[in-house]
Amino acid sequence: MSELLEYLGTAEQAAETAVEVIRTGLGRVRSISGKGDRDFATDLDYAVEDAVRAFLEQETPGIPMLGEERGRTGDSDSPYEWVLDPIDGTINFAHHSPMFGVSLGLMRNGMPVVGVVFAPMSEERFSAALGHGAALNKQALHATGPSELAEAVVAMGDFPVGEDAAKRNLRRLATLQRLVPKVQRIRMLGTAALDMCWLAAGRVDAVLHERINLWDVAAGTVICREAGVLVTDLDGVDYGDGALSVLAAGPQIHRALLAELG
């Protein structure tokens, strides 16, 4: 078994650990705190991250971690790094929407090589390792989609609030003004991790986030790529650590969107 498949197995177990914590907390009153620009966390976000950290520190003690809630810890000299969003779609979760999930990726030299996204409410586990394909509940994923932009459903991120929001929202509205007449539909699911996984599964045809964090899409990036999807930033550069945006789609839709956004 390759090293990446071993790490995928570890990531799947870590995601199971996270989901167990989530399930114990469902139905309870949640405390929610603001962290900045449209960025919130519940007490369960921290509990999930702490449980996953403890599991991975035991299973892979030499690999550092970047978590949304606790930041970066561990040996910075390692070529690998775990990247965790304990609950991607926190606002959805806090409002009792099923559209949220645990997102755990493994980076190697700055590029995603293993990814697991577990959506507890739908019992869907998306997973992939570089060179070994992508799967949904162990069934292989091969993304299919339209070749024409007019037939494409495009998932986009939420409108920002807070500092610099007015300027960013002007750009967002300009993007919508360009795209709405040319695509079939725009969707805002409120969870970037599931945006990416739904693209790999053929439920949407493109994902566009003009500003995104690594923990939101690291796992989804390798899942998409292993399903046959292109994943770049908005300049067309392969998505990896340090990228600030993401554009993911099949080759023809990706090319058409880059042309519209350029």
Side-chain angles (χ1 to χ4, degrees), residues 20-49:
E20 288 174 10
V21 176
I22 290 171
R23 285 177 178 145
T24 63
L26 290 175
R28 299 183 184 178
V29 175
R30 300 262 65 88
S31 64
I32 186 166
S33 56
K35 301 187 297 177
D37 182 5
R38 193 175 282 273
D39 200 1
F40 300 87
T42 68
D43 54 319
L44 202 56
D45 289 76
Y46 291 96
V48 171
E49 180 162 328

Side-chain angles (χ1 to χ4, degrees), residues 154-158 172 175-176 186-189 195 208-209:
V154 180
M156 294 181 63
D158 291 325
R172 176 67 55 84
T175 298
L176 285 169
I186 299 289
R187 294 286 182 259
M188 294 184 183
L189 304 179
D195 283 348
L208 166 62
H209 287 263

